[in-house]
Amino acid sequence: MIALSPVHNDDPALALSPLLRSTLLTLDYIETNGPIGLTPLKALKRYFVQWAAEAFVWPHYTAEDLYYLNKVLNEHDFLPLMVLHDVMLGAKLVRHYKGAMHSTRLGKELRANPGKLWAVLTNYLLCVVDHSKYTRHGDQLVGTWDIFLNVINVEAHTGVSEERLCSVLFGGEEEEFRRHDYQLAASFYIHVLRPLCWAGLLEEHRIGKALEQREVYTKTPLWVAALNLETDRHLREPTRH
């Protein structure tokens, strides 16, 4: 578990979490429309996937992005929804029953307490979900959240690239991670950077296009509100001109 400071329900920083926003939309959908149908393989049925693609407006996974690659949408075509389904089920916010996904008592209680709901979702996404199944080779990553968060806390104070973070954490030159050791960089993204972005603690800025595209990460107000880290004492306010 990661020690998260309590975030007030009315804190506007919570709106920065795609994970929380989409969970609330899903719980609201069930409350309004009833349980969500499941396929024989227990995936969410296509009608909900299509609704979610439009309603979630998930960064870098918008309906426009998804339909550009797929004529119709199934759950496995919308990766954030797959992960969200796993997180909500594992955190016992929903359950499968008689071919449909229902809200649990806990899900209904936390729906009215978004600050606590965010903490439950974030800890499950970061500390329980096995992200290796989303990597090409099932890669595991060596390191702890205490190390990752404290390093990112300093490096991302004014914006940092994936390659710079890999260089600081694992050694080696930044250019090597960009050109040659991209498997480790990709694993770090899937295990650490992407979950932090989906939780709303980091924001990913994509600069450039195609092979020239680079990603820069900055901390969000939710990071400041929810995390109290050892390296906070090393931070300085960025210079403004």
Side-chain angles (χ1 to χ4, degrees), residues 11 14 35 62 66 72 131 143 155-158 160 171 213 216 218 221:
D11 192 325
L14 289 171
T62 64
L66 295 169
V72 296
H131 294 279
E155 295 293 329
H157 196 51
T158 56
V160 67
Q213 180 175 289
V216 174
T218 56

Coordinates of all heavy atoms in Angstrom, one line a residue, residues 11 14 35 62 66 72 131 143 155-158 160 171 213 216 218 221:
D11 N -12.3 18.4 -3.6 CA -11.1 18.9 -4.1 C -11.1 18.8 -5.7 O -11.3 17.7 -6.2 CB -9.9 18.1 -3.6 CG -8.5 18.7 -3.9 OD1 -8.4 19.3 -4.9 OD2 -7.6 18.6 -3.0
L14 N -9.3 16.0 -7.9 CA -9.8 14.7 -8.2 C -10.3 14.5 -9.7 O -10.3 13.4 -10.2 CB -11.0 14.3 -7.3 CG -10.6 14.1 -5.8 CD1 -11.8 14.0 -4.9 CD2 -9.7 12.8 -5.7
P35 N -27.7 -3.4 -14.1 CA -26.4 -4.1 -14.3 C -26.0 -4.2 -15.8 O -26.8 -4.1 -16.7 CB -26.8 -5.6 -13.8 CG -27.9 -5.4 -12.9 CD -28.7 -4.2 -13.4
T62 N -9.5 8.2 -26.9 CA -10.8 8.8 -27.2 C -11.6 7.9 -28.2 O -11.0 7.0 -28.8 CB -10.7 10.2 -27.8 OG1 -10.1 10.1 -29.0 CG2 -9.9 11.1 -26.8
L66 N -10.1 5.2 -31.0 CA -10.5 3.8 -31.0 C -11.2 3.4 -32.3 O -10.9 2.3 -32.8 CB -11.4 3.5 -29.8 CG -10.7 3.7 -28.4 CD1 -11.8 3.6 -27.3 CD2 -9.7 2.7 -28.2
V72 N -15.9 -1.9 -34.9 CA -16.7 -2.0 -33.7 C -15.8 -2.2 -32.5 O -14.6 -2.6 -32.7 CB -17.7 -3.2 -33.8 CG1 -18.7 -3.0 -34.9 CG2 -16.9 -4.5 -34.0
H131 N 0.8 -5.6 -13.8 CA 0.9 -4.9 -15.1 C 1.8 -5.7 -16.1 O 1.8 -5.3 -17.3 CB 1.5 -3.5 -14.9 CG 0.5 -2.6 -14.2 ND1 -0.5 -2.0 -14.7 CD2 0.5 -2.3 -12.9 CE1 -1.2 -1.3 -13.8 NE2 -0.6 -1.4 -12.7
G143 N 12.3 -2.7 -8.5 CA 12.2 -1.4 -7.9 C 11.0 -1.4 -7.0 O 10.2 -2.3 -7.0
E155 N 12.5 14.7 -10.1 CA 12.7 14.9 -11.6 C 11.6 15.5 -12.3 O 11.8 16.2 -13.3 CB 13.1 13.5 -12.2 CG 14.3 12.9 -11.6 CD 15.6 13.7 -12.0 OE1 15.6 14.3 -13.1 OE2 16.6 13.7 -11.2
A156 N 10.3 15.3 -11.9 CA 9.2 15.8 -12.6 C 8.7 17.1 -12.1 O 7.6 17.5 -12.4 CB 8.0 14.7 -12.6
H157 N 9.5 17.7 -11.2 CA 9.0 18.9 -10.6 C 8.7 20.0 -11.6 O 7.8 20.9 -11.5 CB 10.0 19.4 -9.5 CG 9.5 20.4 -8.6 ND1 8.3 20.3 -7.9 CD2 10.0 21.6 -8.2 CE1 8.1 21.3 -7.1 NE2 9.0 22.2 -7.3
T158 N 9.6 20.0 -12.7 CA 9.4 21.0 -13.8 C 9.2 20.3 -15.1 O 9.1 20.9 -16.2 CB 10.5 22.0 -13.9 OG1 11.7 21.2 -14.1 CG2 10.6 22.8 -12.7
V160 N 9.8 16.0 -17.0 CA 10.9 15.1 -17.2 C 10.5 14.1 -18.3 O 9.3 13.7 -18.4 CB 11.2 14.4 -15.9 CG1 10.1 13.4 -15.4 CG2 12.5 13.6 -16.0
G171 N 20.5 3.7 -14.4 CA 21.8 3.9 -15.0 C 21.8 3.9 -16.5 O 20.9 3.4 -17.1
Q213 N 8.2 11.7 -31.9 CA 7.3 12.0 -30.7 C 8.1 11.7 -29.4 O 8.8 10.7 -29.3 CB 6.1 11.2 -30.7 CG 5.2 11.4 -29.5 CD 3.9 10.7 -29.6 OE1 3.0 11.0 -30.4 NE2 3.7 9.6 -28.8
V216 N 6.7 13.9 -22.1 CA 7.2 14.6 -21.0 C 6.2 14.5 -19.9 O 5.0 14.7 -20.2 CB 7.5 16.1 -21.3 CG1 7.9 16.9 -20.1 CG2 8.6 16.2 -22.3
T218 N 4.7 15.7 -16.0 CA 4.7 16.6 -15.0 C 3.7 16.2 -13.9 O 2.8 15.4 -14.1 CB 4.2 18.0 -15.5 OG1 2.9 17.9 -16.1 CG2 5.2 18.6 -16.5
P221 N -1.8 18.7 -9.6 CA -2.1 19.1 -8.2 C -2.6 17.9 -7.3 O -2.5 18.0 -6.1 CB -3.3 20.0 -8.5 CG -3.0 20.6 -9.8 CD -2.4 19.4 -10.6

